[in-house]
Amino acid sequence: MTTVIKAPGEGATERPGGAGRAKEGGGGRSDGTVLNVFSHGFLAVWAILIVLPLIWLALGSFKTDSQIGGSALSLPSNWHFDAFSRAWDKGIGDYFAHTLIVLVFSVPLTMLLGSMAAYVLARYPFPGNRVVYYFFVSGAMFPVFLALVPLFFMVKRLDMLNTYQGLILVYVAYSMPFTVFFMHSFFRTLPTAVHEAAVIDGASDTRIFFQVMLPMAKPGLISVGIFNVLGQWNQYILPSVLMQPQSGSDPERYMLTQGLIQLQYQMGYETDLPVLFAGVTIAMIPMLVVYLSFQRQIQAGLTSATLK
């Protein structure tokens, strides 16, 4: 079979094999369609596996114990809101406030120190630069469980057990490796010409960082900041070790993750699942709001460092 091709101002010519090439092109499109359907199907299943437990928890907050034991995803026959007030009265409000106090200081401090270290390692070559960088990166591969015992005695020696400042410092150290790793790659993508122009204008290194380079790195800062908020908000093992009252007179400064466990312990042999579900819902809502509000900035920050 032949394909007739007519160029402008010329006679018709015949090119053999046109049908074969058309067939090959059709096969490539079909392969792409199959891959696209598979990837979208996988993402749909993944989304269902994530969303269904959240819906189950949220609906359980408005049900009774008997209704929770029935159909999992059925709507409540009567919408009861008293589970939230009971959970709040049992300490969820205090645990929420403790967690918020720690994050208000730990996240900005992590972002400041992490971005400063990443900027120096990315833009200023000096002897031992790569050694320091790999030292930071290796911290992300070190399991925190191996450091719990020495970390406990170090914080105890500093007399910071069951204190906000002790947990804030540990959170900053815990989040620094990922922050430096992420921002290092982002600072390397920023144009060098802008930095050189600021140097020619006589700006100091501090002024260049805070007024020129840091605003340009805003997408990366937002992305890694959200990851730090999520990681520190959901942290359980570190506050469980460092935020335990040392005596009967010490106040209970439990974080929200600890508070949910305490809420379960307070039930004893009683069954009050709506209160537990309401507590989990209260802990979950702020993170959902943060992520949904900044999802575009997170995507932009994640792709900027790899596409520039």
Side-chain angles (χ1 to χ4, degrees):
M1 183 177 180
T2 59
T3 302
V4 178
I5 301 177
K6 184 179 292 185
E10 297 180 359
T13 60
E14 294 183 354
R15 180 175 297 178
R21 281 189 293 274
K23 185 176 181 181
E24 291 177 0
R29 287 192 295 269
S30 63
D31 293 341
T33 302
V34 172
L35 181 60
N36 194 23
V37 171
F38 175 77
S39 61
H40 282 74
F42 177 77
L43 292 175
V45 173
W46 191 4
I48 291 173
L49 293 177
I50 294 175
V51 172
L52 282 183
L54 301 182
I55 296 176
W56 177 62
L57 282 171
L59 291 178
S61 304
F62 302 98
K63 295 181 179 180
T64 61
D65 287 316
S66 59
Q67 292 175 348
I68 293 177
S71 179
L73 297 177
S74 62
L75 294 177
S77 56
N78 295 314
W79 293 81
H80 302 279
F81 293 88
D82 56 337
F84 291 93
S85 60
R86 296 203 310 272
W88 196 268
D89 294 337
K90 289 186 177 182
I92 289 296
D94 295 334
Y95 307 144
F96 190 96
H98 297 163
T99 305
L100 197 61
I101 290 173
V102 172
L103 261 66
V104 164
F105 292 96
S106 63
V107 173
L109 194 58
T110 301
M111 299 305 301
L112 176 63
L113 298 178
S115 59
M116 292 173 67
Y119 173 73
V120 172
L121 294 174
R123 312 293 296 195
Y124 294 91
F126 58 88
N129 182 296
R130 303 305 294 175
V131 175
V132 177
Y133 172 72
Y134 288 125
F135 177 77
F136 275 109
V137 174
S138 63
M141 299 180 289
F142 189 81
V144 68
F145 301 97
L146 299 180
L148 288 179
V149 174
L151 184 62
F152 174 83
F153 286 105
M154 181 182 297
V155 177
K156 183 177 181 180
R157 183 171 297 181
L158 296 173
D159 197 22
M160 289 186 178
L161 286 176
N162 198 33
T163 61
Y164 294 132
Q165 57 268 29
L167 190 61
I168 289 171
L169 293 177
V170 172
Y171 273 4
V172 172
Y174 171 78
S175 304
M176 279 286 286
F178 175 74
T179 304
V180 172
F181 171 76
F182 187 93
M183 294 305 301
H184 178 272
S185 60
F186 199 91
F187 278 122
R188 289 178 65 91
T189 63
L190 298 181
T192 307
V194 178
H195 181 272
E196 294 175 349
V199 173
I200 294 175
D201 290 341
S204 63
D205 292 334
T206 304
R207 186 175 181 182
I208 292 174
F209 172 72
F210 283 104
Q211 296 187 2
V212 179
M213 307 304 289
L214 202 60
M216 294 175 61
K218 183 179 178 181
L221 290 172
I222 294 177
S223 299
V224 75
I226 297 301
F227 282 115
N228 284 329
V229 169
L230 294 175
Q232 295 180 15
W233 183 273
N234 297 322
Q235 181 60 237
Y236 173 73
I237 186 66
L238 289 176
S240 297
V241 174
L242 303 177
M243 298 299 285
Q244 295 288 345
Q246 302 302 303
S247 63
S249 59
D250 287 349
E252 293 182 350
R253 296 191 178 98
Y254 291 137
M255 298 297 104
L256 194 55
T257 50
Q258 294 174 277
L260 295 176
I261 302 298
Q262 293 297 320
L263 191 64
Q264 185 177 8
Y265 287 159
Q266 291 175 9
M267 294 182 185
Y269 293 102
E270 298 179 359
T271 304
D272 196 357
L273 292 179
V275 171
L276 183 59
F277 284 18
V280 176
T281 303
I282 293 173
M284 178 178 61
I285 287 177
M287 295 301 100
L288 287 177
V289 172
V290 169
Y291 184 80
L292 294 177
S293 301
F294 295 97
Q295 59 176 338
R296 292 187 177 180
Q297 289 82 351
I298 294 174
Q299 295 172 0
L302 291 176
T303 55
S304 295
T306 56
L307 297 180
K308 287 185 178 181

PDB file of all heavy atoms in Angstrom, residues 112 116 119-120 124 195 198-199 202-215:
ATOM      1  N   LEU A 112      14.794  29.365  59.616  1.00  0.00           N
ATOM      2  CA  LEU A 112      15.850  30.373  59.608  1.00  0.00           C
ATOM      3  C   LEU A 112      17.234  29.719  59.591  1.00  0.00           C
ATOM      4  O   LEU A 112      18.062  30.012  58.713  1.00  0.00           O
ATOM      5  CB  LEU A 112      15.703  31.284  60.826  1.00  0.00           C
ATOM      6  CG  LEU A 112      16.803  32.337  61.022  1.00  0.00           C
ATOM      7  CD1 LEU A 112      16.812  33.315  59.852  1.00  0.00           C
ATOM      8  CD2 LEU A 112      16.616  33.073  62.338  1.00  0.00           C
ATOM      9  N   MET A 116      19.764  29.387  56.258  1.00  0.00           N
ATOM     10  CA  MET A 116      21.072  30.032  56.331  1.00  0.00           C
ATOM     11  C   MET A 116      22.189  29.036  56.059  1.00  0.00           C
ATOM     12  O   MET A 116      23.126  29.321  55.286  1.00  0.00           O
ATOM     13  CB  MET A 116      21.250  30.688  57.705  1.00  0.00           C
ATOM     14  CG  MET A 116      20.350  31.883  57.955  1.00  0.00           C
ATOM     15  SD  MET A 116      20.445  32.511  59.648  1.00  0.00           S
ATOM     16  CE  MET A 116      22.119  33.137  59.686  1.00  0.00           C
ATOM     17  N   TYR A 119      22.108  28.020  52.361  1.00  0.00           N
ATOM     18  CA  TYR A 119      22.573  29.090  51.472  1.00  0.00           C
ATOM     19  C   TYR A 119      24.096  29.155  51.440  1.00  0.00           C
ATOM     20  O   TYR A 119      24.703  29.272  50.373  1.00  0.00           O
ATOM     21  CB  TYR A 119      21.992  30.417  51.938  1.00  0.00           C
ATOM     22  CG  TYR A 119      22.531  31.619  51.209  1.00  0.00           C
ATOM     23  CD1 TYR A 119      22.155  31.873  49.888  1.00  0.00           C
ATOM     24  CD2 TYR A 119      23.413  32.500  51.829  1.00  0.00           C
ATOM     25  CE1 TYR A 119      22.653  32.974  49.204  1.00  0.00           C
ATOM     26  CE2 TYR A 119      23.905  33.606  51.154  1.00  0.00           C
ATOM     27  CZ  TYR A 119      23.528  33.831  49.844  1.00  0.00           C
ATOM     28  OH  TYR A 119      24.027  34.921  49.173  1.00  0.00           O
ATOM     29  N   VAL A 120      24.721  29.066  52.595  1.00  0.00           N
ATOM     30  CA  VAL A 120      26.185  29.109  52.651  1.00  0.00           C
ATOM     31  C   VAL A 120      26.787  27.899  51.940  1.00  0.00           C
ATOM     32  O   VAL A 120      27.747  28.033  51.163  1.00  0.00           O
ATOM     33  CB  VAL A 120      26.658  29.177  54.116  1.00  0.00           C
ATOM     34  CG1 VAL A 120      28.179  29.026  54.197  1.00  0.00           C
ATOM     35  CG2 VAL A 120      26.232  30.488  54.756  1.00  0.00           C
ATOM     36  N   TYR A 124      28.691  29.443  48.620  1.00  0.00           N
ATOM     37  CA  TYR A 124      30.033  29.840  49.024  1.00  0.00           C
ATOM     38  C   TYR A 124      30.935  28.613  49.105  1.00  0.00           C
ATOM     39  O   TYR A 124      30.855  27.842  50.070  1.00  0.00           O
ATOM     40  CB  TYR A 124      30.010  30.544  50.384  1.00  0.00           C
ATOM     41  CG  TYR A 124      29.300  31.872  50.370  1.00  0.00           C
ATOM     42  CD1 TYR A 124      27.935  31.956  50.639  1.00  0.00           C
ATOM     43  CD2 TYR A 124      29.981  33.044  50.082  1.00  0.00           C
ATOM     44  CE1 TYR A 124      27.277  33.173  50.621  1.00  0.00           C
ATOM     45  CE2 TYR A 124      29.329  34.274  50.060  1.00  0.00           C
ATOM     46  CZ  TYR A 124      27.977  34.327  50.335  1.00  0.00           C
ATOM     47  OH  TYR A 124      27.325  35.534  50.312  1.00  0.00           O
ATOM     48  N   HIS A 195      22.929  37.682  42.376  1.00  0.00           N
ATOM     49  CA  HIS A 195      23.863  37.756  43.498  1.00  0.00           C
ATOM     50  C   HIS A 195      25.045  38.655  43.153  1.00  0.00           C
ATOM     51  O   HIS A 195      25.479  39.485  43.975  1.00  0.00           O
ATOM     52  CB  HIS A 195      24.327  36.340  43.845  1.00  0.00           C
ATOM     53  CG  HIS A 195      25.289  36.290  44.999  1.00  0.00           C
ATOM     54  ND1 HIS A 195      26.661  36.413  44.831  1.00  0.00           N
ATOM     55  CD2 HIS A 195      25.091  36.132  46.340  1.00  0.00           C
ATOM     56  CE1 HIS A 195      27.253  36.332  46.003  1.00  0.00           C
ATOM     57  NE2 HIS A 195      26.327  36.157  46.928  1.00  0.00           N
ATOM     58  N   ALA A 198      24.099  42.326  43.240  1.00  0.00           N
ATOM     59  CA  ALA A 198      23.997  42.840  44.607  1.00  0.00           C
ATOM     60  C   ALA A 198      25.376  43.083  45.204  1.00  0.00           C
ATOM     61  O   ALA A 198      25.581  44.070  45.939  1.00  0.00           O
ATOM     62  CB  ALA A 198      23.220  41.845  45.474  1.00  0.00           C
ATOM     63  N   VAL A 199      26.342  42.232  44.888  1.00  0.00           N
ATOM     64  CA  VAL A 199      27.708  42.435  45.379  1.00  0.00           C
ATOM     65  C   VAL A 199      28.314  43.697  44.775  1.00  0.00           C
ATOM     66  O   VAL A 199      28.979  44.489  45.460  1.00  0.00           O
ATOM     67  CB  VAL A 199      28.571  41.195  45.051  1.00  0.00           C
ATOM     68  CG1 VAL A 199      30.036  41.454  45.398  1.00  0.00           C
ATOM     69  CG2 VAL A 199      28.065  39.980  45.810  1.00  0.00           C
ATOM     70  N   GLY A 202      27.385  46.832  46.392  1.00  0.00           N
ATOM     71  CA  GLY A 202      27.948  47.038  47.719  1.00  0.00           C
ATOM     72  C   GLY A 202      27.146  46.441  48.855  1.00  0.00           C
ATOM     73  O   GLY A 202      27.390  46.794  50.024  1.00  0.00           O
ATOM     74  N   ALA A 203      26.210  45.569  48.566  1.00  0.00           N
ATOM     75  CA  ALA A 203      25.407  44.949  49.628  1.00  0.00           C
ATOM     76  C   ALA A 203      26.248  43.927  50.388  1.00  0.00           C
ATOM     77  O   ALA A 203      27.071  43.207  49.801  1.00  0.00           O
ATOM     78  CB  ALA A 203      24.178  44.275  49.031  1.00  0.00           C
ATOM     79  N   SER A 204      26.034  43.849  51.681  1.00  0.00           N
ATOM     80  CA  SER A 204      26.745  42.874  52.498  1.00  0.00           C
ATOM     81  C   SER A 204      26.147  41.492  52.301  1.00  0.00           C
ATOM     82  O   SER A 204      25.058  41.331  51.734  1.00  0.00           O
ATOM     83  CB  SER A 204      26.671  43.275  53.975  1.00  0.00           C
ATOM     84  OG  SER A 204      25.316  43.267  54.425  1.00  0.00           O
ATOM     85  N   ASP A 205      26.869  40.472  52.767  1.00  0.00           N
ATOM     86  CA  ASP A 205      26.377  39.099  52.628  1.00  0.00           C
ATOM     87  C   ASP A 205      25.053  38.903  53.365  1.00  0.00           C
ATOM     88  O   ASP A 205      24.155  38.207  52.871  1.00  0.00           O
ATOM     89  CB  ASP A 205      27.426  38.114  53.164  1.00  0.00           C
ATOM     90  CG  ASP A 205      28.684  38.082  52.305  1.00  0.00           C
ATOM     91  OD1 ASP A 205      28.577  38.387  51.104  1.00  0.00           O
ATOM     92  OD2 ASP A 205      29.762  37.763  52.841  1.00  0.00           O
ATOM     93  N   THR A 206      24.941  39.514  54.534  1.00  0.00           N
ATOM     94  CA  THR A 206      23.691  39.391  55.288  1.00  0.00           C
ATOM     95  C   THR A 206      22.525  40.042  54.553  1.00  0.00           C
ATOM     96  O   THR A 206      21.428  39.467  54.473  1.00  0.00           O
ATOM     97  CB  THR A 206      23.850  40.030  56.677  1.00  0.00           C
ATOM     98  OG1 THR A 206      24.958  39.433  57.356  1.00  0.00           O
ATOM     99  CG2 THR A 206      22.590  39.847  57.508  1.00  0.00           C
ATOM    100  N   ARG A 207      22.770  41.220  54.004  1.00  0.00           N
ATOM    101  CA  ARG A 207      21.707  41.911  53.277  1.00  0.00           C
ATOM    102  C   ARG A 207      21.332  41.167  52.001  1.00  0.00           C
ATOM    103  O   ARG A 207      20.156  41.096  51.631  1.00  0.00           O
ATOM    104  CB  ARG A 207      22.155  43.334  52.948  1.00  0.00           C
ATOM    105  CG  ARG A 207      21.061  44.180  52.313  1.00  0.00           C
ATOM    106  CD  ARG A 207      21.523  45.609  52.123  1.00  0.00           C
ATOM    107  NE  ARG A 207      20.470  46.429  51.535  1.00  0.00           N
ATOM    108  CZ  ARG A 207      20.605  47.714  51.230  1.00  0.00           C
ATOM    109  NH1 ARG A 207      21.759  48.331  51.474  1.00  0.00           N
ATOM    110  NH2 ARG A 207      19.600  48.398  50.714  1.00  0.00           N
ATOM    111  N   ILE A 208      22.333  40.600  51.317  1.00  0.00           N
ATOM    112  CA  ILE A 208      22.045  39.827  50.104  1.00  0.00           C
ATOM    113  C   ILE A 208      21.163  38.634  50.435  1.00  0.00           C
ATOM    114  O   ILE A 208      20.215  38.314  49.709  1.00  0.00           O
ATOM    115  CB  ILE A 208      23.360  39.375  49.448  1.00  0.00           C
ATOM    116  CG1 ILE A 208      24.125  40.568  48.889  1.00  0.00           C
ATOM    117  CG2 ILE A 208      23.090  38.360  48.333  1.00  0.00           C
ATOM    118  CD1 ILE A 208      25.498  40.225  48.355  1.00  0.00           C
ATOM    119  N   PHE A 209      21.450  37.978  51.545  1.00  0.00           N
ATOM    120  CA  PHE A 209      20.681  36.784  51.905  1.00  0.00           C
ATOM    121  C   PHE A 209      19.246  37.139  52.261  1.00  0.00           C
ATOM    122  O   PHE A 209      18.299  36.549  51.728  1.00  0.00           O
ATOM    123  CB  PHE A 209      21.350  36.069  53.078  1.00  0.00           C
ATOM    124  CG  PHE A 209      20.541  34.934  53.636  1.00  0.00           C
ATOM    125  CD1 PHE A 209      20.390  33.750  52.926  1.00  0.00           C
ATOM    126  CD2 PHE A 209      19.912  35.042  54.870  1.00  0.00           C
ATOM    127  CE1 PHE A 209      19.638  32.707  53.423  1.00  0.00           C
ATOM    128  CE2 PHE A 209      19.165  34.003  55.383  1.00  0.00           C
ATOM    129  CZ  PHE A 209      19.023  32.835  54.652  1.00  0.00           C
ATOM    130  N   PHE A 210      19.054  38.119  53.140  1.00  0.00           N
ATOM    131  CA  PHE A 210      17.715  38.406  53.650  1.00  0.00           C
ATOM    132  C   PHE A 210      16.868  39.217  52.673  1.00  0.00           C
ATOM    133  O   PHE A 210      15.643  39.041  52.641  1.00  0.00           O
ATOM    134  CB  PHE A 210      17.807  39.153  54.986  1.00  0.00           C
ATOM    135  CG  PHE A 210      18.153  38.276  56.148  1.00  0.00           C
ATOM    136  CD1 PHE A 210      19.437  38.291  56.684  1.00  0.00           C
ATOM    137  CD2 PHE A 210      17.225  37.416  56.696  1.00  0.00           C
ATOM    138  CE1 PHE A 210      19.767  37.479  57.757  1.00  0.00           C
ATOM    139  CE2 PHE A 210      17.549  36.593  57.769  1.00  0.00           C
ATOM    140  CZ  PHE A 210      18.825  36.626  58.295  1.00  0.00           C
ATOM    141  N   GLN A 211      17.472  40.090  51.873  1.00  0.00           N
ATOM    142  CA  GLN A 211      16.686  40.977  51.020  1.00  0.00           C
ATOM    143  C   GLN A 211      16.667  40.569  49.553  1.00  0.00           C
ATOM    144  O   GLN A 211      15.820  41.056  48.805  1.00  0.00           O
ATOM    145  CB  GLN A 211      17.222  42.409  51.130  1.00  0.00           C
ATOM    146  CG  GLN A 211      17.076  43.010  52.520  1.00  0.00           C
ATOM    147  CD  GLN A 211      17.463  44.474  52.566  1.00  0.00           C
ATOM    148  OE1 GLN A 211      17.817  45.082  51.558  1.00  0.00           O
ATOM    149  NE2 GLN A 211      17.397  45.065  53.757  1.00  0.00           N
ATOM    150  N   VAL A 212      17.584  39.702  49.132  1.00  0.00           N
ATOM    151  CA  VAL A 212      17.646  39.324  47.724  1.00  0.00           C
ATOM    152  C   VAL A 212      17.364  37.838  47.533  1.00  0.00           C
ATOM    153  O   VAL A 212      16.404  37.448  46.844  1.00  0.00           O
ATOM    154  CB  VAL A 212      19.022  39.694  47.113  1.00  0.00           C
ATOM    155  CG1 VAL A 212      19.080  39.267  45.651  1.00  0.00           C
ATOM    156  CG2 VAL A 212      19.281  41.186  47.250  1.00  0.00           C
ATOM    157  N   MET A 213      18.182  36.985  48.135  1.00  0.00           N
ATOM    158  CA  MET A 213      18.099  35.555  47.868  1.00  0.00           C
ATOM    159  C   MET A 213      16.931  34.887  48.579  1.00  0.00           C
ATOM    160  O   MET A 213      16.259  34.019  48.008  1.00  0.00           O
ATOM    161  CB  MET A 213      19.418  34.876  48.261  1.00  0.00           C
ATOM    162  CG  MET A 213      20.651  35.502  47.643  1.00  0.00           C
ATOM    163  SD  MET A 213      20.588  35.572  45.845  1.00  0.00           S
ATOM    164  CE  MET A 213      20.787  33.864  45.405  1.00  0.00           C
ATOM    165  N   LEU A 214      16.675  35.279  49.820  1.00  0.00           N
ATOM    166  CA  LEU A 214      15.590  34.627  50.568  1.00  0.00           C
ATOM    167  C   LEU A 214      14.223  34.894  49.951  1.00  0.00           C
ATOM    168  O   LEU A 214      13.406  33.964  49.849  1.00  0.00           O
ATOM    169  CB  LEU A 214      15.634  35.078  52.034  1.00  0.00           C
ATOM    170  CG  LEU A 214      14.959  34.147  53.049  1.00  0.00           C
ATOM    171  CD1 LEU A 214      15.617  32.781  53.029  1.00  0.00           C
ATOM    172  CD2 LEU A 214      15.055  34.731  54.453  1.00  0.00           C
ATOM    173  N   PRO A 215      13.894  36.129  49.524  1.00  0.00           N
ATOM    174  CA  PRO A 215      12.604  36.312  48.833  1.00  0.00           C
ATOM    175  C   PRO A 215      12.496  35.517  47.536  1.00  0.00           C
ATOM    176  O   PRO A 215      11.400  35.066  47.183  1.00  0.00           O
ATOM    177  CB  PRO A 215      12.569  37.824  48.563  1.00  0.00           C
ATOM    178  CG  PRO A 215      13.442  38.416  49.603  1.00  0.00           C
ATOM    179  CD  PRO A 215      14.542  37.429  49.802  1.00  0.00           C
TER     180      PRO A 215
END
